[in-house]
Amino acid sequence: MSPPPEKRGASSAQPHLGRRRHNSEEGEASSSSAARSLRPESHEVEVSAEDDNEGLVWPEPFVEAVARKVALAAAQGGGALAAAPALVTVFQVCSTWRTISHSEILWEALVQDVWEWDTSQTTRRPQSWRDEYIRLHSTASNFRHNRAKYTLIEYEVSSDSSGNGAGAVCRCLTLSPEYLAVGFFDGAVRIFSLTSKECVNTMKPPHENRLGPLSRAISGIVINDDRVVFASFDGNVFVGEVLTGLVRRAHVGNVVNDGTLVDFTGSEKFWVGLYAGIPGHACHIWDAVTEQLVFNAGDITDSEALRGWRLLTEQAERIGRVRVNRDGILLTATRFKVTVFDLESYGVSFRREEIAMDEQQQLIVESVDANNDWFLTASDDGAARIRRITDFEDSWAFSFAEAAATDANSANSTTSTSRSSSGNTNSDRRNRVRVFGALNTRQAFLCIEGSVHAWDAKSGMRLYRLDEWMGEVFDLVADDEHVAGCAIDTGIHLWSFRP
């Protein structure tokens, strides 16, 4: 790339990149209208040029390259929110440089650089990349400063849903860009619109209570566009259409041969089921296109076989979790260890870490979550960690013990009452703080005894606690626009951080 031309008789107009002024808070253009003007506030990158640029022609690719470099440097130093004020400084150099602020090519590149969005792979291309950048900035700012719209989602329960006393209770949920899918103990899956908060469809395929009253309970859900895939404890896997509600069975479960399907997840390429009950059959992987089983092996849940069978009759703690990231890497976790698989190799393990097995260091299974390159775990000693999913390096650690103690004391009477009334007789259940975790691109969320707390995923700094209390929780999920949770007594909770 050629440097800009110099004006004869004048000093060079090449921009000078000054030293960043670091601030403990991420720099940002404040939300909505302020974000739209990209007004600089803090964490600026100083850029200067000659005031008199009349007659000087600056190559557009050069100015775009400078803007990208400045924005990326600001984001790397102070977080993605710091890029907007740095860009404003660039656009204020002169009127010629201001015109570059309307370049869609530049804004598409900035969305990719600053917000780590692979624009070449997306199926949803916005009408304006500049507006998309502003939307991402405003949403991230809302997450950072706890500006959320809260909704307690209501739904109708049919008269036969609670035949075993637990049918109307939500067990698991998942988010897509348009929908929230919720699975229940009675085998039903309800789809809610994230825009209207209304129930779009209810799917409840026929089940047989073959080996226990909870064999039909939903173990996990995958939702992509207008298709939803979900599985139950008895190993059945179903495929449904979001808009029509039509459901078909894609895989017939076999509890005797495989055990209990304790968790289920997937992507557009793969479905993954984690089983417990039969040694050597922990991980099942299906090709999502052909719907054929391509892998059936693994020993990660061998020590949890008895607890796996008890899930068919009791509302017990989770045995394990599975997560798949965008690169096709599978993370499986139990109380004792975390295993990573490369799904492109259909389950060939390339990394394993054994979590300490002493009484004080066991992993809290409900806390495990993964997002792109990172995964979140929490242990019984009150510490949480965020680590790289491929090599377990570059980790951040933070303590949730203080928040846990506060919430446990304030909610002690309520939680003890709800636990005794839930009918849970699991002797393995310990009198310890219950923690559920969720991880999006920039925040880690831990629900501690019904209260949701947020930490910065990069630094481990505690940010805030959401105002609403959930009670006894069964699941918690988050993406870059929403946080959602389901609880035994209070139902489905949704926090939207959309601008």
Side-chain angles (χ1 to χ4, degrees), residues 85-312:
L87 285 168
V88 172
T89 307
V90 172
F91 298 149
Q92 288 177 343
V93 169
C94 64
S95 59
T96 304
W97 283 40
R98 260 192 305 279
T99 61
I100 304 302
S101 67
H102 300 289
S103 169
E104 280 294 288
I105 295 176
L106 171 62
W107 288 109
E108 181 178 357
L110 290 171
V111 167
Q112 182 168 321
D113 292 346
V114 175
W115 300 105
E116 301 174 359
W117 184 1
D118 188 352
T119 58
S120 64
Q121 299 297 321
T122 182
T123 57
R124 182 181 63 86
R125 297 185 67 85
Q127 295 182 348
S128 167
W129 284 109
R130 180 179 183 275
D131 290 344
E132 185 66 18
Y133 185 100
I134 293 172
R135 185 189 68 81
L136 292 170
H137 178 97
S138 299
T139 304
S141 178
N142 289 343
F143 265 108
R144 180 71 177 185
H145 299 291
N146 190 17
R147 294 190 289 260
K149 301 173 184 176
Y150 170 76
T151 304
L152 181 61
I153 294 181
E154 298 180 355
Y155 55 92
E156 294 183 0
V157 180
S158 59
S159 57
D160 62 343
S161 291
S162 55
N164 56 31
V169 176
C170 318
R171 186 189 178 273
C172 62
L173 37 73
T174 190
L175 287 160
S176 77
E178 301 297 331
Y179 302 106
L180 171 66
V182 185
F184 291 76
F185 275 96
D186 66 353
V189 172
R190 291 178 172 86
I191 311 296
F192 298 91
S193 167
L194 290 174
T195 303
S196 67
K197 313 301 187 296
E198 299 293 330
C199 183
V200 175
N201 247 314
T202 298
M203 304 176 186
K204 190 177 180 183
H207 287 273
E208 305 84 16
N209 291 334
R210 293 179 293 183
L211 293 175
L214 299 183
S215 62
R216 65 177 65 184
I218 301 301
S219 54
I221 308 170
V222 182
I223 183 168
N224 295 308
D225 297 327
D226 293 331
R227 187 176 81 156
V228 59
V229 184
F230 56 96
S232 51
F233 280 174
D234 58 13
N236 286 309
V237 179
F238 301 92
V239 178
E241 298 180 7
V242 172
L243 298 180
T244 65
L246 297 176
V247 182
R248 60 179 175 83
R249 182 154 49 186
H251 174 76
V252 178
N254 191 324
V255 180
V256 175
N257 292 335
D258 297 324
T260 306
L261 203 172
V262 299
D263 200 21
F264 180 81
T265 189
S267 64
E268 293 181 353
K269 293 183 178 180
F270 303 100
W271 306 335
V272 182
L274 185 67
Y275 290 74
I278 304 297
H281 289 258
C283 190
H284 290 204
I285 302 174
W286 291 267
D287 185 306
V289 177
T290 64
E291 300 181 1
Q292 297 299 309
L293 184 68
V294 295
F295 181 83
N296 178 7
D299 60 358
I300 190 171
T301 59
D302 284 3
S303 62
E304 306 280 26
L306 179 59
R307 295 180 69 224
W309 291 116
R310 293 172 69 172
L311 284 178
L312 299 172

